[in-house]
Amino acid sequence: MLDVTVIEDSAAAAVSLDPMRSRLLAELAGGPASAAMLAGRVGLPRQKVNYHLKALERHGLVELAGERKKGNVTERLMRATAASYVISPLALAAVEPDPARFRDQLSARWLLAVAARLVRDVGALITGAAKARKRLATFALDGEVRFASAADRAAFVEELTQGVSALIAKYHDEHAEGGREHRIVVAVHPTLKNPPAPGDVGPGASAAPAGVRGAVDAPQGA
């Protein structure tokens, strides 16, 4: 089972967002189970659970983990293909956010568009790396800082921008033979005091932090 997988197909996204199927995915993330076992947990007839499981299986969200005999019946034990799911903007390709439409570093909506592009691109890279059976080289830094004032926050963003820009200028080689472009995204936003619990946001959905105040995006980073 993967820790997280990206859903790029719109039909699979629709299936995952159904409340009951979302519940079944959560149950199966905890370990393999049959339709009969799940029926008791979610309060549905076994036949109805089977119907939902088949829909999830068609879209690769669950898979067969094994079979077992129970009397004259062979039960199929299903498991989730991942512990959690993220829906890529590719699932809504016609209306996916495009950071190129505008560029306002102090706009929360622009940061949201950049974040959506990040999910789309990294999801596609993960899919490609899995098919090629290669490792994907990425890096992420996540931390918190408590600012004494808005002025300190603005100063921090200014220094951060200068520092990242200096690193890009130092390592970027436009003419490097065999070089590969990387995208750099840096974001600053207030920490949520009460982030939504995993159960409050269905599989594949991701709650975006509110009140974003700054972002630095290097389209053609080192």
Side-chain angles (χ1 to χ4, degrees):
M1 178 190 294
L2 299 172
D3 291 332
V4 61
T5 194
V6 180
I7 298 174
E8 298 176 325
D9 178 69
S10 59
V15 166
S16 72
L17 290 173
D18 175 89
M20 180 49 65
R21 292 167 184 171
S22 171
R23 170 76 185 280
L24 291 173
L25 284 174
E27 293 288 342
L28 291 173
S34 67
M37 296 165 62
L38 292 167
R41 300 179 195 173
V42 301
L44 283 181
R46 178 180 58 81
Q47 294 85 349
K48 193 68 174 176
V49 171
N50 253 327
Y51 168 78
H52 288 307
L53 288 177
K54 287 179 181 178
L56 291 168
E57 188 177 12
R58 280 196 302 272
H59 293 285
L61 302 176
V62 303
E63 62 187 5
L64 182 66
E67 295 180 336
R68 70 177 182 181
K69 283 280 190 180
K70 193 172 183 181
N72 295 325
V73 177
T74 300
E75 287 189 331
R76 302 176 80 229
L77 296 174
M78 307 301 294
R79 66 184 172 199
T81 54
S84 58
Y85 301 84
V86 175
I87 294 179
S88 169
L90 285 177
L92 293 170
V95 291
E96 68 173 298
D98 181 6
R101 291 176 187 159
F102 66 101
R103 185 185 180 90
D104 179 358
Q105 290 178 296
L106 298 182
S107 166
R109 299 189 186 280
W110 184 72
L111 178 53
L112 192 60
V114 171
R117 184 185 59 195
L118 180 65
V119 171
R120 182 199 67 190
D121 291 353
V122 174
L125 288 167
I126 288 173
T127 299
K131 289 180 180 178
R133 297 186 178 181
K134 293 183 178 180
R135 291 178 60 86
L136 178 62
T138 61
F139 169 78
L141 181 66
D142 182 30
E144 292 188 17
V145 57
R146 185 180 181 90
F147 296 115
S149 65
D152 282 354
R153 182 183 62 210
F156 175 86
V157 169
E158 179 63 25
E159 288 187 43
L160 182 64
T161 302
Q162 293 175 1
V164 173
S165 297
L167 280 172
I168 292 173
K170 178 179 179 180
Y171 289 100
H172 180 65
D173 189 339
E174 186 70 31
H175 306 292
E177 185 176 352
R180 183 174 182 181
E181 294 179 344
H182 287 65
R183 183 173 294 282
I184 298 170
V185 177
V186 180
V188 177
H189 65 76
T191 302
L192 284 176
K193 293 182 179 179
N194 298 300
D200 296 337
V201 185
S206 178
V212 177
R213 288 295 180 269
V216 182
D217 176 37
Q220 304 297 334

